[in-house]
Amino acid sequence: MDMRDVYTETLMELADKDDRIVLLEADLMNATGTRPFKAAYPDRFFDVGVSEADMVGVAAGLSAAGKIPFAASFGCFASRRVYDQFFLSANYAQLNVNLVGTDPGITALFNGGTHMTFEDAGIMRNIPQLRVLEPSDEVSLRKLLPQIAHWPRSVYLRLHRKGGWSFYSEDETFEIGKGKLIREGSDITLASFGMVMLQETLKAADLLEKKGIHADVIDVLTLKPLDRELVLASARKTGLIVSCENHNIYNGLGSAVAEVLAEDGVPARLRRIGCQDKFGEVGKIDYLMETFGLTAAHIVDTAEALIGMKKTA
Amino acid sequence: MFDTDLSHKALEIRKKTLEIIGKLGVGHIGGSLSVVELLTVLYYKRMKIDPLNPGMEGRDWFVLSKGHAGPALYCVLADLGFFPEEWLLTLNTGGTNLPSHCDRVRTPGIDMSTGSLGQGLSATVGITLAQRIDGHDNWVYVCIGDGESQEGQNWEAAMTAAHYKTDRLIAFTDFNKMQIDGLTEDVMGIEKIEDKWASFNWHVQRIDGHNMVAIDDAIEIAQGVSGRPHMIILDTIKGKGAAFAEGNPGNHNMVFDIKTAREAIDALDAKSGEAI
Ligand SMILES: Cc1ncc(C[n+]2csc(CCOP(=O)(O)OP(=O)(O)O)c2C)c(N)n1
Ligand SMILES: [Mg+2]
């Protein structure tokens, strides 16, 4: 199932039980796939047209008056275009606005550089106390959405939109702020954020295994607050860590990992897979994965280079 | 004369736009086809430009604020010789100079990078002010969408433009009555759009945006009115000229193949009596 359909379906289940749930769109209802919600709850659905800043402000007002809004747009607009409104009207005002940025990073595909958001999670990480998440599969999305709704403060949800993946089993439990150690090794830690990267990271772990290198694989799920203990425990064990993100290496997962490693004094070497401070561009997924250095092969090369450095050190 | 020549040009541009998007298989066909007549009048009749010197001092400027209509503009720029025709076949493929949204860095002849709706008009005001400082008597044109008009920044720019009496700025609204989620008046009504611009102290006209004589006349009239920026509302049809797109609620960003494009092109030829 497309991740967007999991989003809509889960919110409809929530809305059925909780009449405070309301949805907002800014002329991308057809992209987010929330039309069924509109049909089922016409009084709790607002399409404000192409006016994202207004959408976030309206969402803040809805929250101030007791509703639980989810407001969505492409991630580029749901972050850059609305940053001040989200910062102030939603977060500074300590309200519960759930802002959903779709089409993370390279998944913007043909929409190209204007839409290819490699910075949304990073700028969101700078809002005090905000929770920043990117569920990595259908199960984690379905299980985290109710917690996001009922978390008393705002959340930025980075949502993979088209395409789905059921990685976790249905009885897996999730918690905002907690990552998952999904594969255990001893030689190196691969930490991943989001669906696109988790798929590549797992492929990379398989390739490394064939070369006799055993990797810990962590799915962080929540970028902020980072699951510090999970990351540090693995880094202490392996001494080597590769962060893997469909995002700029600045202020995303790589930065967050570097911060906790340095603060804790863990002697682990870090390399960051991600967009290397470039603007996005148009293309098919394979082209973009290659261009921005996000493939399993890039992860393997980086991991091997780190291991080589450890041996010669 | 002007009318037959330009009609021929508009037909060529419309066909080319269908072809390059059809070849790729997906694209913003609706909003590209609705601006074809506007682009034709501007680029083949009105604008002072030099394809060999896109950055020429004192040239006229055009900002396509609804940057997703880039494909139609690329067909015009290629035809005028700003870049080789072959580039058109790279539309939206990896490494292209012709991305889905207009990009001033990659594409010769593109005056401003756009694609995040609502930003183009402010940039156009800035360009117009710079031309005034530099003493140029050129014209600065911009096109926004009707859905795009919902972005508040347009109305901030509307005040700035009027306050600074940017009468060298001529804006167009491609009022094709549709955005992505539905009819503009259903999603977030913007009528009476002429009254809105007029109340912001703009000189406003409203015309049939597929009638090139009317577009040209409106530009002539605008150029004769001083002291106020100009808004020309173009009543248009989203997907104009392609039966598979016109009136189709999903015509914003469509998936269609080259065969569908060719059928539409043949139909256009048949209609214009030019089929071989
Ligand atoms: C700030 C921003 N929000 C959303 C989008 C996504 N988007 C692209 S086109 C479009 C609809 C625009 O409608 P309109 O201006 O009427 O364009 P047209 O009908 O001419 O294609 C939307 C919402 C965007 N490009 N920029
Ligand atoms: Mg429109």
mmCIF file of all heavy atoms in Angstrom, chain B residues 152-187:
data_model
loop_
_atom_site.group_PDB
_atom_site.id
_atom_site.type_symbol
_atom_site.label_atom_id
_atom_site.label_comp_id
_atom_site.label_asym_id
_atom_site.label_seq_id
_atom_site.Cartn_x
_atom_site.Cartn_y
_atom_site.Cartn_z
ATOM 1 N N GLY B 152 -0.216 34.248 -0.381
ATOM 2 C CA GLY B 152 -0.257 35.611 0.150
ATOM 3 C C GLY B 152 0.843 36.514 -0.369
ATOM 4 O O GLY B 152 0.661 37.730 -0.472
ATOM 5 N N GLN B 153 1.985 35.934 -0.711
ATOM 6 C CA GLN B 153 3.107 36.764 -1.163
ATOM 7 C C GLN B 153 2.734 37.592 -2.387
ATOM 8 O O GLN B 153 3.242 38.704 -2.570
ATOM 9 C CB GLN B 153 4.330 35.880 -1.457
ATOM 10 C CG GLN B 153 5.590 36.678 -1.777
ATOM 11 C CD GLN B 153 6.793 35.791 -2.045
ATOM 12 O OE1 GLN B 153 6.775 34.589 -1.763
ATOM 13 N NE2 GLN B 153 7.844 36.381 -2.583
ATOM 14 N N ASN B 154 1.830 37.064 -3.225
ATOM 15 C CA ASN B 154 1.398 37.840 -4.393
ATOM 16 C C ASN B 154 0.812 39.178 -3.978
ATOM 17 O O ASN B 154 0.997 40.185 -4.650
ATOM 18 C CB ASN B 154 0.329 37.074 -5.171
ATOM 19 C CG ASN B 154 0.927 35.918 -5.945
ATOM 20 O OD1 ASN B 154 1.775 36.119 -6.804
ATOM 21 N ND2 ASN B 154 0.500 34.708 -5.620
ATOM 22 N N TRP B 155 0.088 39.157 -2.877
ATOM 23 C CA TRP B 155 -0.622 40.367 -2.470
ATOM 24 C C TRP B 155 0.301 41.326 -1.738
ATOM 25 O O TRP B 155 0.078 42.534 -1.748
ATOM 26 C CB TRP B 155 -1.881 39.969 -1.670
ATOM 27 C CG TRP B 155 -2.671 39.013 -2.536
ATOM 28 C CD1 TRP B 155 -2.692 37.650 -2.452
ATOM 29 C CD2 TRP B 155 -3.446 39.356 -3.699
ATOM 30 N NE1 TRP B 155 -3.451 37.122 -3.474
ATOM 31 C CE2 TRP B 155 -3.927 38.148 -4.249
ATOM 32 C CE3 TRP B 155 -3.790 40.559 -4.322
ATOM 33 C CZ2 TRP B 155 -4.726 38.105 -5.392
ATOM 34 C CZ3 TRP B 155 -4.595 40.523 -5.455
ATOM 35 C CH2 TRP B 155 -5.037 39.303 -5.977
ATOM 36 N N GLU B 156 1.357 40.784 -1.164
ATOM 37 C CA GLU B 156 2.402 41.647 -0.618
ATOM 38 C C GLU B 156 3.108 42.344 -1.796
ATOM 39 O O GLU B 156 3.334 43.553 -1.792
ATOM 40 C CB GLU B 156 3.397 40.828 0.212
ATOM 41 C CG GLU B 156 2.721 40.130 1.401
ATOM 42 C CD GLU B 156 3.667 39.231 2.204
ATOM 43 O OE1 GLU B 156 4.896 39.353 2.075
ATOM 44 O OE2 GLU B 156 3.160 38.403 2.978
ATOM 45 N N ALA B 157 3.431 41.549 -2.820
ATOM 46 C CA ALA B 157 4.084 42.109 -4.005
ATOM 47 C C ALA B 157 3.159 43.110 -4.704
ATOM 48 O O ALA B 157 3.620 44.115 -5.252
ATOM 49 C CB ALA B 157 4.469 40.985 -4.969
ATOM 50 N N ALA B 158 1.864 42.832 -4.668
ATOM 51 C CA ALA B 158 0.903 43.739 -5.310
ATOM 52 C C ALA B 158 1.004 45.125 -4.674
ATOM 53 O O ALA B 158 0.994 46.144 -5.369
ATOM 54 C CB ALA B 158 -0.518 43.189 -5.166
ATOM 55 N N MET B 159 1.134 45.153 -3.362
ATOM 56 C CA MET B 159 1.257 46.453 -2.678
ATOM 57 C C MET B 159 2.579 47.119 -3.018
ATOM 58 O O MET B 159 2.627 48.318 -3.288
ATOM 59 C CB MET B 159 1.146 46.257 -1.164
ATOM 60 C CG MET B 159 -0.291 46.104 -0.711
ATOM 61 S SD MET B 159 -0.452 46.007 1.080
ATOM 62 C CE MET B 159 -0.266 44.257 1.324
ATOM 63 N N THR B 160 3.658 46.336 -2.993
ATOM 64 C CA THR B 160 4.977 46.917 -3.284
ATOM 65 C C THR B 160 5.002 47.499 -4.693
ATOM 66 O O THR B 160 5.481 48.621 -4.906
ATOM 67 C CB THR B 160 6.073 45.833 -3.149
ATOM 68 O OG1 THR B 160 5.901 45.187 -1.896
ATOM 69 C CG2 THR B 160 7.452 46.440 -3.213
ATOM 70 N N ALA B 161 4.467 46.742 -5.641
ATOM 71 C CA ALA B 161 4.481 47.196 -7.033
ATOM 72 C C ALA B 161 3.692 48.496 -7.194
ATOM 73 O O ALA B 161 4.148 49.436 -7.853
ATOM 74 C CB ALA B 161 3.898 46.111 -7.938
ATOM 75 N N ALA B 162 2.528 48.548 -6.580
ATOM 76 C CA ALA B 162 1.693 49.749 -6.719
ATOM 77 C C ALA B 162 2.318 50.923 -5.979
ATOM 78 O O ALA B 162 2.349 52.047 -6.477
ATOM 79 C CB ALA B 162 0.287 49.471 -6.191
ATOM 80 N N HIS B 163 2.850 50.636 -4.794
ATOM 81 C CA HIS B 163 3.457 51.705 -3.993
ATOM 82 C C HIS B 163 4.599 52.371 -4.758
ATOM 83 O O HIS B 163 4.749 53.591 -4.740
ATOM 84 C CB HIS B 163 3.962 51.131 -2.670
ATOM 85 C CG HIS B 163 4.514 52.156 -1.744
ATOM 86 N ND1 HIS B 163 3.705 52.906 -0.915
ATOM 87 C CD2 HIS B 163 5.781 52.589 -1.540
ATOM 88 C CE1 HIS B 163 4.459 53.756 -0.234
ATOM 89 N NE2 HIS B 163 5.726 53.583 -0.591
ATOM 90 N N TYR B 164 5.390 51.558 -5.420
ATOM 91 C CA TYR B 164 6.523 52.092 -6.172
ATOM 92 C C TYR B 164 6.175 52.376 -7.632
ATOM 93 O O TYR B 164 7.064 52.587 -8.453
ATOM 94 C CB TYR B 164 7.735 51.156 -6.038
ATOM 95 C CG TYR B 164 8.353 51.241 -4.654
ATOM 96 C CD1 TYR B 164 8.113 50.266 -3.704
ATOM 97 C CD2 TYR B 164 9.112 52.351 -4.296
ATOM 98 C CE1 TYR B 164 8.632 50.368 -2.424
ATOM 99 C CE2 TYR B 164 9.639 52.465 -3.015
ATOM 100 C CZ TYR B 164 9.394 51.472 -2.080
ATOM 101 O OH TYR B 164 9.915 51.584 -0.817
ATOM 102 N N LYS B 165 4.864 52.364 -7.933
ATOM 103 C CA LYS B 165 4.385 52.770 -9.266
ATOM 104 C C LYS B 165 5.191 52.109 -10.388
ATOM 105 O O LYS B 165 5.687 52.782 -11.304
ATOM 106 C CB LYS B 165 4.453 54.296 -9.406
ATOM 107 C CG LYS B 165 3.624 55.034 -8.358
ATOM 108 C CD LYS B 165 3.590 56.533 -8.661
ATOM 109 C CE LYS B 165 2.606 57.314 -7.792
ATOM 110 N NZ LYS B 165 2.558 56.980 -6.368
ATOM 111 N N THR B 166 5.325 50.814 -10.329
ATOM 112 C CA THR B 166 6.114 50.094 -11.333
ATOM 113 C C THR B 166 5.296 49.915 -12.611
ATOM 114 O O THR B 166 4.839 48.819 -12.940
ATOM 115 C CB THR B 166 6.552 48.711 -10.802
ATOM 116 O OG1 THR B 166 5.376 48.010 -10.387
ATOM 117 C CG2 THR B 166 7.501 48.822 -9.643
ATOM 118 N N ASP B 167 5.140 51.000 -13.352
ATOM 119 C CA ASP B 167 4.277 50.935 -14.537
ATOM 120 C C ASP B 167 4.938 50.244 -15.730
ATOM 121 O O ASP B 167 4.325 50.072 -16.775
ATOM 122 C CB ASP B 167 3.752 52.331 -14.917
ATOM 123 C CG ASP B 167 4.857 53.349 -15.092
ATOM 124 O OD1 ASP B 167 6.046 52.964 -15.094
ATOM 125 O OD2 ASP B 167 4.537 54.547 -15.224
ATOM 126 N N ARG B 168 6.186 49.813 -15.557
ATOM 127 C CA ARG B 168 6.855 49.033 -16.613
ATOM 128 C C ARG B 168 6.643 47.529 -16.394
ATOM 129 O O ARG B 168 7.185 46.706 -17.123
ATOM 130 C CB ARG B 168 8.351 49.346 -16.619
ATOM 131 C CG ARG B 168 8.639 50.769 -17.087
ATOM 132 C CD ARG B 168 8.946 50.759 -18.556
ATOM 133 N NE ARG B 168 8.514 51.975 -19.222
ATOM 134 C CZ ARG B 168 8.568 52.144 -20.543
ATOM 135 N NH1 ARG B 168 9.025 51.180 -21.305
ATOM 136 N NH2 ARG B 168 8.152 53.243 -21.096
ATOM 137 N N LEU B 169 5.894 47.211 -15.343
ATOM 138 C CA LEU B 169 5.628 45.804 -15.027
ATOM 139 C C LEU B 169 4.248 45.429 -15.569
ATOM 140 O O LEU B 169 3.240 46.061 -15.219
ATOM 141 C CB LEU B 169 5.686 45.605 -13.507
ATOM 142 C CG LEU B 169 5.620 44.183 -12.939
ATOM 143 C CD1 LEU B 169 6.083 44.182 -11.469
ATOM 144 C CD2 LEU B 169 4.264 43.536 -13.025
ATOM 145 N N ILE B 170 4.218 44.422 -16.422
ATOM 146 C CA ILE B 170 2.944 43.930 -16.945
ATOM 147 C C ILE B 170 2.784 42.469 -16.539
ATOM 148 O O ILE B 170 3.563 41.609 -16.956
ATOM 149 C CB ILE B 170 2.873 44.075 -18.481
ATOM 150 C CG1 ILE B 170 3.046 45.565 -18.866
ATOM 151 C CG2 ILE B 170 1.541 43.534 -19.002
ATOM 152 C CD1 ILE B 170 2.959 45.840 -20.360
ATOM 153 N N ALA B 171 1.795 42.234 -15.680
ATOM 154 C CA ALA B 171 1.566 40.876 -15.173
ATOM 155 C C ALA B 171 0.365 40.251 -15.869
ATOM 156 O O ALA B 171 -0.548 40.956 -16.310
ATOM 157 C CB ALA B 171 1.328 40.925 -13.667
ATOM 158 N N PHE B 172 0.407 38.938 -15.961
ATOM 159 C CA PHE B 172 -0.727 38.178 -16.504
ATOM 160 C C PHE B 172 -1.138 37.124 -15.488
ATOM 161 O O PHE B 172 -0.274 36.514 -14.860
ATOM 162 C CB PHE B 172 -0.334 37.463 -17.808
ATOM 163 C CG PHE B 172 0.149 38.394 -18.879
ATOM 164 C CD1 PHE B 172 1.499 38.740 -18.959
ATOM 165 C CD2 PHE B 172 -0.742 38.935 -19.805
ATOM 166 C CE1 PHE B 172 1.954 39.607 -19.942
ATOM 167 C CE2 PHE B 172 -0.288 39.803 -20.793
ATOM 168 C CZ PHE B 172 1.057 40.145 -20.861
ATOM 169 N N THR B 173 -2.429 36.932 -15.355
ATOM 170 C CA THR B 173 -2.915 35.787 -14.586
ATOM 171 C C THR B 173 -3.491 34.795 -15.577
ATOM 172 O O THR B 173 -4.415 35.126 -16.335
ATOM 173 C CB THR B 173 -4.020 36.199 -13.587
ATOM 174 O OG1 THR B 173 -3.479 37.137 -12.656
ATOM 175 C CG2 THR B 173 -4.527 34.975 -12.824
ATOM 176 N N ASP B 174 -2.912 33.595 -15.588
ATOM 177 C CA ASP B 174 -3.439 32.539 -16.457
ATOM 178 C C ASP B 174 -4.655 31.944 -15.743
ATOM 179 O O ASP B 174 -4.544 30.976 -15.003
ATOM 180 C CB ASP B 174 -2.353 31.477 -16.677
ATOM 181 C CG ASP B 174 -2.877 30.322 -17.519
ATOM 182 O OD1 ASP B 174 -3.927 30.486 -18.172
ATOM 183 O OD2 ASP B 174 -2.232 29.255 -17.509
ATOM 184 N N PHE B 175 -5.797 32.559 -15.979
ATOM 185 C CA PHE B 175 -7.003 32.171 -15.243
ATOM 186 C C PHE B 175 -7.669 31.000 -15.972
ATOM 187 O O PHE B 175 -8.671 31.160 -16.665
ATOM 188 C CB PHE B 175 -7.953 33.370 -15.132
ATOM 189 C CG PHE B 175 -8.919 33.253 -13.977
ATOM 190 C CD1 PHE B 175 -9.494 34.393 -13.430
ATOM 191 C CD2 PHE B 175 -9.259 32.033 -13.424
ATOM 192 C CE1 PHE B 175 -10.385 34.303 -12.366
ATOM 193 C CE2 PHE B 175 -10.131 31.926 -12.362
ATOM 194 C CZ PHE B 175 -10.700 33.061 -11.829
ATOM 195 N N ASN B 176 -7.081 29.817 -15.779
ATOM 196 C CA ASN B 176 -7.605 28.632 -16.473
ATOM 197 C C ASN B 176 -8.636 27.886 -15.623
ATOM 198 O O ASN B 176 -9.040 26.769 -15.957
ATOM 199 C CB ASN B 176 -6.460 27.722 -16.936
ATOM 200 C CG ASN B 176 -5.584 27.241 -15.786
ATOM 201 O OD1 ASN B 176 -6.007 27.206 -14.642
ATOM 202 N ND2 ASN B 176 -4.350 26.875 -16.099
ATOM 203 N N LYS B 177 -9.016 28.486 -14.512
ATOM 204 C CA LYS B 177 -10.138 28.004 -13.666
ATOM 205 C C LYS B 177 -9.856 26.713 -12.912
ATOM 206 O O LYS B 177 -10.726 26.187 -12.237
ATOM 207 C CB LYS B 177 -11.444 27.803 -14.468
ATOM 208 C CG LYS B 177 -11.776 28.879 -15.493
ATOM 209 C CD LYS B 177 -12.054 30.231 -14.862
ATOM 210 C CE LYS B 177 -12.376 31.295 -15.899
ATOM 211 N NZ LYS B 177 -11.277 31.622 -16.828
ATOM 212 N N MET B 178 -8.637 26.183 -13.062
ATOM 213 C CA MET B 178 -8.346 24.925 -12.373
ATOM 214 C C MET B 178 -7.019 24.998 -11.645
ATOM 215 O O MET B 178 -6.085 25.657 -12.095
ATOM 216 C CB MET B 178 -8.270 23.768 -13.393
ATOM 217 C CG MET B 178 -9.581 23.488 -14.092
ATOM 218 S SD MET B 178 -9.348 22.309 -15.447
ATOM 219 C CE MET B 178 -9.396 20.779 -14.540
ATOM 220 N N GLN B 179 -6.944 24.281 -10.519
ATOM 221 C CA GLN B 179 -5.668 24.068 -9.850
ATOM 222 C C GLN B 179 -5.487 22.564 -9.731
ATOM 223 O O GLN B 179 -5.909 21.864 -10.652
ATOM 224 C CB GLN B 179 -5.609 24.847 -8.533
ATOM 225 C CG GLN B 179 -6.809 24.741 -7.629
ATOM 226 C CD GLN B 179 -6.727 25.765 -6.504
ATOM 227 O OE1 GLN B 179 -7.555 26.660 -6.416
ATOM 228 N NE2 GLN B 179 -5.750 25.630 -5.631
ATOM 229 N N ILE B 180 -4.868 22.036 -8.664
ATOM 230 C CA ILE B 180 -4.683 20.577 -8.644
ATOM 231 C C ILE B 180 -5.902 19.873 -8.055
ATOM 232 O O ILE B 180 -6.417 18.914 -8.614
ATOM 233 C CB ILE B 180 -3.421 20.171 -7.847
ATOM 234 C CG1 ILE B 180 -2.169 20.750 -8.496
ATOM 235 C CG2 ILE B 180 -3.320 18.641 -7.782
ATOM 236 C CD1 ILE B 180 -0.875 20.352 -7.799
ATOM 237 N N ASP B 181 -6.368 20.384 -6.930
ATOM 238 C CA ASP B 181 -7.425 19.675 -6.206
ATOM 239 C C ASP B 181 -8.818 19.894 -6.788
ATOM 240 O O ASP B 181 -9.793 19.343 -6.273
ATOM 241 C CB ASP B 181 -7.401 20.065 -4.725
ATOM 242 C CG ASP B 181 -6.251 19.384 -3.979
ATOM 243 O OD1 ASP B 181 -5.641 18.465 -4.552
ATOM 244 O OD2 ASP B 181 -5.975 19.767 -2.829
ATOM 245 N N GLY B 182 -8.927 20.701 -7.830
ATOM 246 C CA GLY B 182 -10.233 20.904 -8.442
ATOM 247 C C GLY B 182 -10.346 22.255 -9.103
ATOM 248 O O GLY B 182 -9.333 22.879 -9.447
ATOM 249 N N LEU B 183 -11.592 22.706 -9.284
ATOM 250 C CA LEU B 183 -11.833 24.020 -9.868
ATOM 251 C C LEU B 183 -11.410 25.084 -8.856
ATOM 252 O O LEU B 183 -11.697 24.953 -7.654
ATOM 253 C CB LEU B 183 -13.314 24.189 -10.208
ATOM 254 C CG LEU B 183 -13.877 23.190 -11.228
ATOM 255 C CD1 LEU B 183 -15.374 23.440 -11.431
ATOM 256 C CD2 LEU B 183 -13.136 23.306 -12.561
ATOM 257 N N THR B 184 -10.751 26.108 -9.351
ATOM 258 C CA THR B 184 -10.240 27.138 -8.449
ATOM 259 C C THR B 184 -11.358 27.717 -7.571
ATOM 260 O O THR B 184 -11.167 27.915 -6.368
ATOM 261 C CB THR B 184 -9.556 28.241 -9.277
ATOM 262 O OG1 THR B 184 -8.555 27.617 -10.091
ATOM 263 C CG2 THR B 184 -8.902 29.274 -8.399
ATOM 264 N N GLU B 185 -12.511 27.946 -8.174
ATOM 265 C CA GLU B 185 -13.592 28.535 -7.364
ATOM 266 C C GLU B 185 -14.113 27.569 -6.308
ATOM 267 O O GLU B 185 -14.647 27.992 -5.285
ATOM 268 C CB GLU B 185 -14.724 29.050 -8.252
ATOM 269 C CG GLU B 185 -14.390 30.351 -8.973
ATOM 270 C CD GLU B 185 -13.800 31.444 -8.055
ATOM 271 O OE1 GLU B 185 -14.532 31.948 -7.177
ATOM 272 O OE2 GLU B 185 -12.617 31.797 -8.210
ATOM 273 N N ASP B 186 -13.952 26.260 -6.519
ATOM 274 C CA ASP B 186 -14.363 25.287 -5.495
ATOM 275 C C ASP B 186 -13.321 25.131 -4.393
ATOM 276 O O ASP B 186 -13.661 24.992 -3.217
ATOM 277 C CB ASP B 186 -14.594 23.895 -6.124
ATOM 278 C CG ASP B 186 -15.814 23.878 -7.026
ATOM 279 O OD1 ASP B 186 -16.645 24.816 -6.922
ATOM 280 O OD2 ASP B 186 -15.932 22.940 -7.844
ATOM 281 N N VAL B 187 -12.059 25.125 -4.785
ATOM 282 C CA VAL B 187 -10.989 24.891 -3.797
ATOM 283 C C VAL B 187 -10.816 26.114 -2.905
ATOM 284 O O VAL B 187 -10.842 26.019 -1.674
ATOM 285 C CB VAL B 187 -9.654 24.547 -4.498
ATOM 286 C CG1 VAL B 187 -8.529 24.409 -3.470
ATOM 287 C CG2 VAL B 187 -9.788 23.250 -5.292
#
